[in-house]
Each structure stands twice: as structure tokens, then as C-alpha cells.
Amino acid sequence: MIKKLAENLSRHQTLVHIFLLLIIWLVAAMIINPIGEFPFGDDWSFSKSVKTFNETSEIRLTGWVSMTLIGHLFWGIGVSEIFGFSHTVLRISIVFLAFIGLVGYYFLLCKIINQKFLCLFLVILLGFNPVFTLHAYSFYTDISFFAVFIWCLNYFLKFFENKTIYFLVSILFLILAFSVRDLALVAVPAFIITMFIKNKVSRNTILYSFIIIAVSIIIYFVYRYWITEVHGLPINQDL
């Protein structure tokens, strides 16, 4: 009974913190104001591809881009199909992803730190870091990558609760993160090392490690083939 009461109290505190974070984020958004029909910095190189797809239904990446980008591009295409293309819509969609990423960061911290109020404070500290805020109000790939990758880490840690489904979900998020920025592959050796430390050498650990490596190799070469043979972009697009 006491344990269940503690769990309910903890769940209630989590909901209150997320709601408080949402209010703070919305107030900040109204103050900063993402509205405006102009690109921010060089995020025009990403929004241009979204606009081109809306007009021609063709994926055309500029030579300006050097990350995998596809996941970020399709996010922009999706919101543009619903709300119409505009720099304002694209920026607001990233503000939304930033909030989703911060919620994921909160849950990640709660797995490491027992004091939830401290977790909330650290989340707010990150959210209003000048670098994070700057990218949250642009159509750069940094925030979309952060939002997907942080949930990848969340589900990988939940995998250690002995639920295989979380391992599969974390792999899915890893693929999505790679589709935004190839930097996501740095998680592969980190995941493998963590599994061997936590679970020692076992049949399951070796199997899961093989799956992660296999998936990473497949998505790497599939993207490499698409970008060079199908899309035909120059060498700076190659990983």
C-alpha cells in the first residue's frame, strides 16, 4: 500500500513538473516570438528542400547540406502538408520538438537522479541555455536530432528493466536519429559497452550487440547508396 502510494505521488509530481515546463516554454515562446517569414541564419538550406518538395513532390537536397537530414526534411514536409509551407510553421514545429526533447531529458535525468525538482531545474537550465534556445527557434537539425536521440537513450535505459520491446524501440529511435544526423552512430559503441558492463558476457548481450552493429551497417550503406547512386549528390554528402 505504501509503495503504491509513493508511486502515485511520484507520478503526480512528474505530471506537475511537465505541466510547469510546458507553461514556462509557452510563455518563453510568446516572448521570443518565432513568427516571421524569413529564414534564420543558413537554415534556408533546409527549408528550401521542404519548399521544393511541396512544389514538385521531389526530394532535392542542396550541396550546402552535409548531414543525413532526411528525417528532419520529412518532419518539415509533414507539418507543411498540414499547415502549409512557411518559415513560421517550420520554426514553431522545432519549438514543439524542443519541448518534446526536454521532456525526454527530464525522464532521462529522473532515471539517474532521485530528486525530481533538481531534474526539472536542470531541464530548464538546458532549455534556456543560449545555444539551445537559439537552435530551438530555427529550422536547424540540432533540436530535431536532440529530441529523437534523447528518447533513444531513454528507451535504451528502460531496456535494462528486462523488457526486450524497449530495445527494439530504442533501435527505431536510433535509426530516426541517424536519418537526421549521422552523429547518432556514436551511440552504437556506447550501447554495446554499457550492455557488457551491466549484463556481463552472455548470449543475449552478444545477440543484442550483433543486432545494433548489423542495423548500423545497414542504415549506413543504404543511405550511402541512396545519396550517391540514386540522388547523385556530390562527395560532401558522403558520410
Side-chain angles (χ1 to χ4, degrees):
M1 174 67 87
I2 296 176
K3 183 179 179 182
K4 186 176 182 180
L5 183 63
E7 289 176 354
N8 290 335
L9 183 63
S10 177
R11 191 178 298 111
H12 176 73
Q13 188 180 26
T14 297
L15 292 174
V16 170
H17 284 175
I18 293 175
F19 181 73
L20 182 59
L21 178 63
L22 175 61
I23 296 301
I24 294 172
W25 197 245
L26 288 176
V27 171
M30 287 187 288
I31 294 172
I32 297 172
N33 188 7
I35 298 173
E37 281 314 298
F38 50 83
F40 182 83
D42 57 9
D43 71 355
W44 61 266
S45 58
F46 309 133
S47 57
K48 181 181 179 182
S49 295
V50 174
K51 190 172 188 297
T52 300
F53 185 89
N54 285 346
E55 294 173 347
T56 66
S57 297
E58 294 180 4
I59 297 176
R60 296 180 188 171
L61 304 183
T62 66
W64 186 272
V65 195
S66 60
M67 67 281 295
T68 41
L69 184 68
I70 300 302
H72 182 78
L73 173 61
F74 276 103
W75 169 260
I77 291 170
V79 296
S80 295
E81 287 291 326
I82 297 172
F83 302 103
F85 173 84
S86 74
H87 293 289
T88 295
V89 165
L90 294 180
R91 269 195 294 274
I92 291 177
S93 76
I94 298 300
V95 174
F96 170 75
L97 284 182
F99 173 74
I100 297 301
L102 290 174
V103 171
Y105 185 50
Y106 174 81
F107 282 117
L108 185 66
L109 289 175
C110 286
K111 290 181 175 63
I112 304 169
I113 304 172
N114 290 325
Q115 301 179 36
K116 290 195 172 185
F117 185 79
L118 176 59
C119 294
L120 177 63
F121 174 75
L122 292 174
V123 168
I124 293 173
L125 204 62
L126 172 65
F128 292 97
N129 175 289
V131 176
F132 189 93
T133 304
L134 175 90
H135 288 90
Y137 288 82
S138 72
F139 193 58
Y140 290 122
T141 59
D142 303 75
I143 297 299
S144 54
F145 173 77
F146 167 78
V148 178
F149 192 68
I150 206 74
W151 281 102
C152 171
L153 298 180
N154 257 300
Y155 282 107
F156 182 74
L157 289 183
K158 286 179 72 66
F159 157 63
F160 289 111
E161 298 173 4
N162 294 321
K163 294 185 178 179
T164 305
I165 185 64
Y166 290 135
F167 174 78
L168 299 177
V169 174
S170 71
I171 292 296
L172 175 61
F173 273 100
L174 180 64
I175 294 172
L176 291 174
F178 173 83
S179 74
V180 178
R181 305 190 75 154
D182 53 294
L183 179 64
L185 292 185
V186 300
V188 174
F191 283 2
I192 292 174
I193 291 171
T194 303
M195 284 192 295
F196 275 100
I197 291 175
K198 290 281 291 183
N199 297 334
K200 310 301 181 184
V201 178
S202 67
R203 181 180 300 176
N204 284 343
T205 302
I206 294 173
L207 174 62
Y208 291 138
S209 298
F210 174 79
I211 291 173
I212 293 177
I213 293 172
V215 168
S216 302
I217 292 174
I218 290 170
I219 61 174
Y220 171 84
F221 282 104
V222 165
Y223 177 79
R224 179 177 178 140
Y225 175 81
W226 179 82
I227 205 70
T228 56
E229 302 299 328
V230 177
H231 198 73
L233 287 184
I235 194 65
N236 72 314
Q237 290 293 328
D238 202 4
L239 299 180

Short mmCIF file of all heavy atoms in Angstrom, two decimals, residues 12 54 152 194:
data_model
loop_
_atom_site.label_atom_id
_atom_site.label_comp_id
_atom_site.label_asym_id
_atom_site.label_seq_id
_atom_site.Cartn_x
_atom_site.Cartn_y
_atom_site.Cartn_z
N HIS A 12 2.27 11.82 -9.90
CA HIS A 12 1.62 13.13 -9.82
C HIS A 12 2.65 14.25 -9.90
O HIS A 12 2.44 15.25 -10.61
CB HIS A 12 0.83 13.22 -8.51
CG HIS A 12 0.20 14.57 -8.29
ND1 HIS A 12 -0.90 15.02 -9.00
CD2 HIS A 12 0.54 15.60 -7.45
CE1 HIS A 12 -1.22 16.23 -8.60
NE2 HIS A 12 -0.36 16.61 -7.66
N ASN A 54 7.25 20.48 -51.63
CA ASN A 54 5.85 20.92 -51.68
C ASN A 54 5.42 21.33 -53.08
O ASN A 54 4.27 21.16 -53.48
CB ASN A 54 5.62 22.09 -50.71
CG ASN A 54 5.58 21.63 -49.27
OD1 ASN A 54 5.46 20.44 -48.99
ND2 ASN A 54 5.70 22.55 -48.34
N CYS A 152 15.81 7.98 -27.68
CA CYS A 152 16.57 6.75 -27.96
C CYS A 152 17.30 6.31 -26.70
O CYS A 152 17.26 5.13 -26.30
CB CYS A 152 17.55 6.99 -29.11
SG CYS A 152 18.72 5.64 -29.38
N THR A 194 27.93 -0.49 -22.61
CA THR A 194 27.01 -0.44 -21.47
C THR A 194 26.37 -1.80 -21.22
O THR A 194 26.25 -2.25 -20.07
CB THR A 194 25.90 0.60 -21.72
OG1 THR A 194 26.49 1.88 -21.95
CG2 THR A 194 24.97 0.69 -20.51
#
